[in-house]
């Protein structure tokens, strides 16, 4: 499926399963009049996870689902190994549910289930679908790791990572530093950078290889620790560890 400029793909752990998110990020506020959340799930009937044939059929049924709810606003989906759940906001709940009830999926390998909820504040969109800073950082991590790989980095080599954190005040930075130390980060030197909106910065360090799950876990921990003190992650850096030439 071609990705619209306003849609973002990312991965995030829900429960014990890593899920794929595909979300329209263009809405800052709920669209006027669209106060009903419509959720519709296509799940496999035959196995614990989608087969190749079912994934192919998923694309066909997705088109039919969107056509049936063409008057609603499509926000995206969450995809697991055995289920893909789509999210819409509609003006008319009864009309939307009737459209789903009459949707013909034929002799499908997949099962369709659906429901609705009154959500004038678009809570599901803002709290579940739309990426927060930690979730969005996983998208940036993927881009950074790809650049390092293209530069010849050996991702399996453990090295020191440096994460630069920013805060509104030196007091908040000090409170964060103590928390970060207790969570296994080594502390670097603080700096005052007046060109930044949050000018009180400090670096924290840890050791890691550059596998995406490891990096995502590190940045997520640092971001959520900093958020408790009104701080954020500015960037993370890593020394390039070139792959060894087997002929050298």
């Amino acid at each position: 499926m071609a990705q619209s400029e306003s849609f973002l793909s990312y991965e995030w752990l829900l429960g014990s399963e890593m899920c794929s998110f595909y979300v329209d990020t263009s809405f800052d506020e709920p669209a006027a009049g669209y106060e009903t959340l419509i959720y519709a799930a296509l799940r496999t009937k035959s196995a614990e996870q989608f087969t190749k044939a079912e994934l192919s059929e998923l694309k066909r049924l997705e088109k039919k689902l969107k056509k049936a709810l063409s008057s609603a606003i499509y926000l995206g989906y969450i995809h697991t190994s055995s289920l893909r759940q789509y999210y819409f906001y509609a003006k008319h709940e009864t009309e939307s549910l009737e459209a789903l009830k009459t949707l013909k999926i034929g002799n499908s390998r997949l099962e369709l289930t659906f429901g609705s909820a009154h959500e004038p504040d678009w809570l599901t969109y803002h709290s579940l679908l739309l990426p927060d800073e930690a979730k969005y950082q996983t998208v940036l991590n993927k881009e950074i790791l790809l650049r390092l790989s293209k530069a010849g980095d050996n991702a399996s080599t453990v090295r020191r990572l440096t994460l630069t954190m920013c805060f509104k005040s030196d007091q908040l930075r000090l409170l964060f530093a103590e928390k970060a130390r207790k969570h296994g980060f080594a502390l670097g030197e603080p700096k005052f950078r007046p060109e930044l909106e949050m000018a009180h910065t400090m670096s924290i360090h840890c050791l890691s290889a550059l596998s995406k799950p490891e990096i995502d876990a590190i940045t997520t921990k640092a971001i959520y620790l900093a958020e408790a003190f009104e701080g954020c992650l500015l960037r993370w850096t890593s020394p390039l560890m070139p792959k060894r030439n087997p002929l050298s």
Side-chain angles (χ1 to χ4, degrees):
M1 178 179 5
Q3 179 163 312
S4 166
E5 288 184 3
S6 66
F7 276 81
L8 178 72
S9 296
Y10 68 94
E11 295 183 338
W12 194 253
L13 194 66
L14 286 181
S16 60
E17 184 171 7
M18 186 62 71
C19 302
S20 298
F21 288 69
Y22 180 72
V23 184
D24 188 341
T25 60
S26 63
F27 292 90
D28 294 325
E29 300 291 337
Y34 291 83
E35 298 187 353
T36 298
L37 170 70
I38 303 292
Y39 48 92
L42 288 168
R43 69 179 75 233
T44 176
K45 291 192 250 181
S46 61
E48 293 183 359
Q49 59 184 24
F50 288 118
T51 64
K52 288 184 179 180
E54 288 170 343
L55 286 172
S56 179
E57 189 172 3
L58 191 63
K59 295 179 182 179
R60 178 182 66 83
L61 293 180
E62 180 177 305
K63 291 179 181 178
K64 296 186 72 171
L65 179 64
K66 290 179 181 177
K67 185 176 181 180
L69 294 174
S70 59
S71 63
I73 297 175
Y74 172 57
L75 271 302
Y77 64 72
I78 300 175
H79 181 92
T80 74
S81 59
S82 60
L83 177 146
R84 181 179 290 183
Q85 180 145 296
Y86 299 88
Y87 297 87
F88 302 80
Y89 282 96
K91 282 188 174 182
H92 308 292
E93 179 178 14
T94 301
E95 178 184 302
S96 298
L97 293 178
E98 284 299 320
L100 292 176
K101 287 178 184 177
T102 57
L103 179 64
K104 300 184 185 301
I105 64 174
N107 187 22
S108 174
R109 303 177 181 88
L110 303 176
E111 176 186 19
L112 173 66
T113 58
F114 53 85
S116 64
H118 183 60
E119 272 196 13
D121 56 0
W122 285 28
L123 178 63
T124 297
Y125 174 67
H126 288 286
S127 64
L128 177 63
L129 298 176
L130 201 63
D132 61 9
E133 184 184 350
K135 292 176 181 178
Y136 186 68
Q137 183 62 45
T138 67
V139 179
L140 300 180
N141 291 345
K142 184 177 181 179
E143 296 172 357
I144 294 168
L145 294 175
L146 181 60
R147 288 200 299 270
L148 288 170
S149 177
K150 288 181 177 180
D153 186 82
N154 183 1
S156 63
T157 302
V158 175
R159 82 290 302 277
R160 188 176 83 154
L161 304 185
T162 298
L163 295 86
T164 302
M165 316 301 296
C166 300
F167 301 90
K168 294 179 179 179
S169 70
D170 199 47
Q171 182 180 12
L172 290 169
R173 180 196 61 76
L174 285 169
L175 292 170
F176 164 80
E178 180 60 20
K179 199 76 170 180
R181 184 184 62 79
K182 290 180 179 178
H183 280 79
F185 289 104
L187 305 182
E189 291 297 318
K191 293 183 179 179
F192 179 71
R193 300 178 58 178
E195 73 277 11
L196 298 177
E197 183 178 352
M198 291 196 283
H200 300 268
T201 72
M202 71 172 299
S203 58
I204 57 175
H205 309 282
C206 64
L207 298 177
S208 177
L210 293 191
S211 74
K212 188 170 184 296
E214 287 181 83
I215 297 300
D216 287 348
I218 290 167
T219 58
T220 296
K221 179 164 70 170
I223 287 169
Y224 286 156
L225 285 174
E227 280 185 352
F229 305 100
E230 302 179 60
C232 68
L233 171 65
L234 178 64
R235 63 173 174 268
W236 67 265
T237 57
S238 161
L240 186 69
M241 307 296 285
K243 296 175 182 178
R244 292 185 178 180
N245 187 335
L247 300 179
S248 62

